[in-house]
């Protein structure tokens, strides 16, 4: 939680509109302190005209930066051409996007289009239930403590954070959680009633925690031995962010199911659940559906995003930029360590991360407090060297300011 006093001071500093407090939006989010009206690349512009360096990309969503001209053009062209028909009919871009994603995942799979990360994971969970009953009455899904898989009832249940579960009991049945990155715990948990293991290759919301290569490889082996599906949730880590097209590829494994969303539309809502053709065959027509899934506007955006990502070689850019951030921050006063992969980084600090995040916001830089002691950086994969260096200096200065004022 951000200290309400810091929030109040910041609201005053930026001249936030008090009317924002009274708008009829449900109170599921902390009161906003800034209203953004436009952006370009790594920069956002607030209603008061102030510019902010965005090192978060709306939580790893705008991986190509704000208002990317080619994405904007693709969306605008499509809006003038065709916005929607039902999934009873084919449209132009969905098959192209599906084929592109399948190629990035090594081929031999199929895609279900959804509208968000949670819905992509929901598709995976339903696929696990359909996969399960055939051989042996399997239904259980094993996921990791500290994981995050979404906020619908089923994806919340898969999420390994008991505090988030408590207000919503009773939750759906058939989920268990094991310690993350612990091979023995996983080995013991995959009993004959387990249909699938669901893991993040790097836990994002859980504090930017990369799994070891050995763990992911052991997960693959354990699932193979017991006939369970290995499902990797790449909603935050996928599409170049972690230095590979998908973060699990770092471990050289091939999952049965991969979910993705955040970066796929560069801000236009779209999610996808990819599964090997063998796993996908568990679904029959009528088993799963969504009105907007794969519709022309979202897939026009995704098609442009994937073309640009490939042309710009974003996985490589994420590696190089991530190394530059890490080199700049490591050893600076107040910085204990930097972890993560590519451009999904957590900076472990000597001072409270929420104070640094609030101080940075007041100084025109956007990050978030991913744990009480670490801030998360997930900037545009097209961030420039100058922007990285400005971000590094801003973080170091902020840590010093917060240390001095406490
Ligand atoms: C953000 C996230 C989700 C949920 O995505 P929404 O679009 O918010 O539903 C699921 N899994 C992971 C790993 C995420 O980071």
């Amino acid at each position: 939680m951000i200290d309400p006093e810091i929030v109040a001071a910041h609201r005053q500093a930026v001249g936030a509109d008090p009317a924002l407090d009274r708008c009829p939006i449900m109170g599921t989010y902390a009161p906003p302190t800034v209203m953004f009206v436009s952006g370009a690349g790594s920069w956002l512009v607030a209603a008061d005209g102030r510019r902010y360096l965005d090192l978060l990309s709306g939580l790893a969503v705008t991986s190509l930066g704000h208002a990317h001209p080619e994405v904007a053009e693709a969306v605008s062209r499509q809006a003038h051409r065709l916005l929607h028909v039902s999934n009873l009919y084919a449209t132009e871009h969905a098959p192209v996007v599906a084929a592109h994603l399948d190629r990035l995942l090594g081929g031999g799979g199929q895609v279900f289009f959804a509208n968000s990360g949670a819905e992509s994971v929901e598709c995976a969970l339903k696929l696990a239930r359909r996969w399960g009953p055939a051989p042996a009455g399997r239904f259980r899904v094993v996921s990791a403590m500290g994981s995050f898989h979404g906020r619908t009832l089923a994806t919340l249940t898969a999420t390994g954070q008991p505090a988030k579960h408590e207000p919503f009991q009773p939750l759906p049945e058939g989920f268990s959680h094991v310690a993350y990155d612990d091979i023995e715990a996983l080995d013991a948990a995959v009993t004959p009633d387990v249909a699938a293991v669901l893991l993040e290759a790097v836990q994002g919301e859980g504090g930017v925690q990369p799994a070891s290569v050995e763990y992911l490889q052991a997960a693959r082996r354990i699932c193979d031995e017991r006939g369970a599906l290995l499902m990797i949730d790449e909603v935050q880590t996928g599409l170049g962010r972690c230095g590979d097209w998908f973060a699990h590829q770092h471990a050289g494994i091939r999952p049965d199911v991969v979910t993705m969303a955040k970066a796929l539309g560069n801000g236009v809502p779209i999610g996808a659940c990819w599964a090997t053709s063998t796993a996908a065959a568990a679904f029959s027509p009528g088993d799963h559906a969504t009105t907007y899934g794969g519709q022309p506007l979202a897939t026009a955006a995704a098609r442009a995003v994937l073309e640009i990502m490939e042309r710009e070689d974003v996985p490589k850019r994420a590696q190089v930029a991530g190394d530059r951030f890490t080199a700049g921050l490591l050893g600076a006063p107040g910085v204990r360590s930097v972890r993560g992969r590519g451009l999904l980084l957590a900076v472990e600090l000597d001072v409270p991360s929420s104070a640094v995040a609030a101080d940075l916001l007041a100084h025109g830089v956007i990050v978030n407090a991913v744990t009480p002691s670490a801030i998360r950086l997930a900037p545009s994969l097209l961030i420039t060297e100058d922007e990285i260096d400005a971000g590094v200096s801003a973080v170091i200065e902020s840590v010093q300011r917060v240390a001095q004022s406490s």
Side-chain angles (χ1 to χ4, degrees):
M1 263 309 281
I2 297 179
D3 183 343
E5 271 182 40
I6 297 175
V7 172
H10 180 72
R11 291 180 71 86
Q12 208 169 12
V14 301
D17 182 353
L20 285 178
D21 277 342
R22 283 182 273 109
C23 76
I25 290 178
M26 284 194 192
T28 60
Y29 305 102
T33 55
V34 186
M35 178 186 279
F36 290 114
V37 292
S38 67
S42 295
W43 297 87
L44 279 167
V45 180
D48 63 0
R50 215 170 146 204
R51 275 160 50 90
Y52 290 73
L53 178 61
D54 185 2
L55 299 183
L56 199 58
S57 314
L59 291 172
V61 170
T62 51
S63 280
L64 299 176
H66 297 286
H68 192 290
E70 283 172 62
V71 179
E73 176 58 30
V75 169
S76 154
R77 213 183 317 121
Q78 191 60 40
H80 286 277
R81 195 169 153 81
L82 181 69
L83 275 181
H84 185 80
V85 294
S86 90
N87 278 317
L88 296 173
Y89 310 100
T91 54
E92 281 175 84
H93 308 301
V96 180
V97 175
H100 197 140
L101 292 174
D102 186 48
R103 176 162 59 78
L104 296 180
L105 284 159
Q110 296 173 2
V111 170
F112 176 88
F113 285 113
N115 313 291
S116 67
E119 286 177 66
S120 313
V121 178
E122 187 81 22
C123 174
L125 296 173
K126 285 183 72 179
L127 185 64
R129 290 277 172 105
R130 287 296 274 142
W131 169 260
R138 297 154 168 262
F139 60 92
R140 186 167 297 283
V141 172
V142 173
S143 57
M145 292 304 295
S147 63
F148 183 80
H149 298 295
R151 300 288 198 150
T152 63
L153 275 178
T155 59
L156 173 67
T157 310
T159 292
Q161 301 185 37
K164 288 192 167 70
H165 290 173
E166 278 329 300
F168 299 101
Q169 300 288 358
L171 293 170
E173 282 180 45
F175 293 84
S176 16
H177 304 92
V178 290
Y180 185 57
D181 211 18
D182 179 334
I183 296 173
E184 273 176 42
L186 187 64
D187 192 41
V190 184
T191 45
D193 62 345
V194 171
V197 170
L198 172 64
L199 296 170
E200 292 158 278
V202 179
Q203 286 189 338
E205 300 308 302
V208 188
Q209 306 287 356
S212 66
V213 166
E214 299 73 46
Y215 181 69
L216 293 173
Q217 291 176 347
R220 178 66 280 177
R221 181 176 45 72
I222 291 166
C223 287
D224 282 343
E225 279 169 13
R226 326 246 164 111
L229 297 174
L230 177 60
M231 312 196 301
I232 305 289
D233 183 352
E234 296 260 10
V235 166
Q236 184 157 164
T237 50
L239 299 165
R241 167 122 337 246
C242 291
D244 292 278
W245 281 110
F246 292 91
H248 69 264
Q249 291 169 339
H250 179 73
I253 58 161
R254 179 174 160 89
D256 301 295
V257 175
V258 176
T259 57
M260 68 199 84
K262 290 189 165 94
L264 186 53
N266 207 50
V268 177
I270 180 169
C273 175
W274 173 93
T276 63
S277 299
T278 315
F283 272 154
S284 306
D287 275 345
H288 197 44
T290 172
T291 298
Y292 292 123
Q295 58 95 276
L297 187 76
T299 46
R303 183 176 180 168
V305 163
L306 291 172
E307 278 168 15
I308 300 161
M309 283 187 159
E310 197 136 43
R311 188 179 73 220
E312 298 284 350
D313 193 3
V314 289
K316 180 74 195 166
R317 290 182 72 127
Q319 283 174 19
V320 172
D323 287 348
R324 192 176 180 97
F325 265 110
T326 304
L329 289 165
L330 269 185
V335 174
R336 282 200 195 162
S337 60
V338 181
R339 66 172 174 269
R341 204 161 274 148
L343 276 178
L344 182 60
L345 297 171
V347 188
E348 200 64 47
L349 305 170
D350 280 336
V351 291
S353 60
S354 59
V356 170
D359 174 84
L360 279 168
L361 186 67
H363 287 82
V365 179
I366 298 169
V367 302
N368 96 311
V370 72
T371 70
S373 59
I375 56 166
R376 170 170 37 183
L377 307 179
S380 163
L381 306 183
L382 304 183
I383 190 169
T384 66
E385 291 189 343
D386 286 349
E387 288 163 350
I388 295 171
D389 297 346
V392 165
S393 304
V395 169
I396 293 171
E397 284 161 24
S398 173
V399 170
Q400 282 168 332
R401 265 194 306 273
V402 170
Q404 275 156 17
S405 71
S406 60

